[in-house]
Amino acid sequence: QCLGAGQFLGRSISPLWYADTLLAAGCGAEHPLLEFLQKLGYRGFVVGYQFANSDGIHGWLTAEETQVFFTYLQDLDLPQFEPSFAAMDRFRSDWNYLEPGAYSFEQVSLAFLRTVTGMAVAQSRGVLWGNDVSTYLKDLP
């Protein structure tokens, strides 16, 4: 029930990587955004990692949780761009991301998460956090 396509947010990071960015934006330690990030970071322990130290499914949000998460993310001062994977890809140059103006890479990455979350909401879907998770389908006999 999650959005099918994926977006690179940073090399081997976890959702809790955004905690300092959120605290700097005025979100206290009890802010609901941090609870949603914990679900994205730890709910996947139910199914475990595929292999290696940080690869595999970390966590997910249901469609209902994604809607609430997106509402909170809209309040943040982050880069704005059209809600599409093509728009996010325009920030990439030779496997590196360009920082738009006064925003840090962490803020750009969080803006990508907000954008993907908004795209999921538009399709009544949830979001999944994974590192090196295969996104192809294989026909089974």
Side-chain angles (χ1 to χ4, degrees):
Q1 297 180 354
C2 292
L3 192 64
Q7 173 62 40
F8 179 78
L9 299 174
R11 179 89 178 125
S12 299
I13 63 169
S14 84
L16 296 179
W17 180 64
Y18 299 116
D20 289 340
T21 302
L22 292 174
L23 292 173
C27 299
E30 300 299 319
H31 196 282
L33 275 171
L34 296 170
E35 178 185 341
F36 287 113
L37 291 175
Q38 287 181 338
K39 288 179 181 181
L40 284 172
Y42 297 118
R43 223 180 224 173
F45 286 155
V46 172
V47 293
Y49 289 138
Q50 288 182 353
F51 50 88
N53 10 341
S54 67
D55 295 343
I57 296 171
H58 288 242
W60 61 85
L61 299 177
T62 66
E64 295 79 17
E65 291 169 333
T66 300
Q67 172 66 57
V68 176
F69 184 52
F70 181 63
T71 300
Y72 285 119
L73 288 171
Q74 288 181 346
D75 293 337
L76 300 176
D77 177 23
L78 299 170
Q80 297 285 336
F81 38 85
E82 78 178 74
S84 72
F85 289 106
M88 290 181 279
D89 197 46
R90 287 194 286 271
F91 284 90
R92 191 180 323 185
S93 172
D94 296 326
W95 297 101
N96 293 312
Y97 278 93
L98 308 172
E99 295 179 10
Y103 294 102
S104 68
F105 174 73
E106 290 84 1
Q107 290 169 312
V108 173
S109 181
L110 189 56
F112 289 164
L113 179 57
R114 180 187 60 200
T115 299
V116 169
T117 302
M119 292 165 53
V121 166
Q123 295 180 32
S124 299
R125 295 190 174 263
V127 292
L128 178 139
W129 187 289
N131 290 352
D132 289 334
V133 176
S134 300
T135 57
Y136 63 89
L137 298 176
K138 181 177 180 179
D139 293 328
L140 299 175

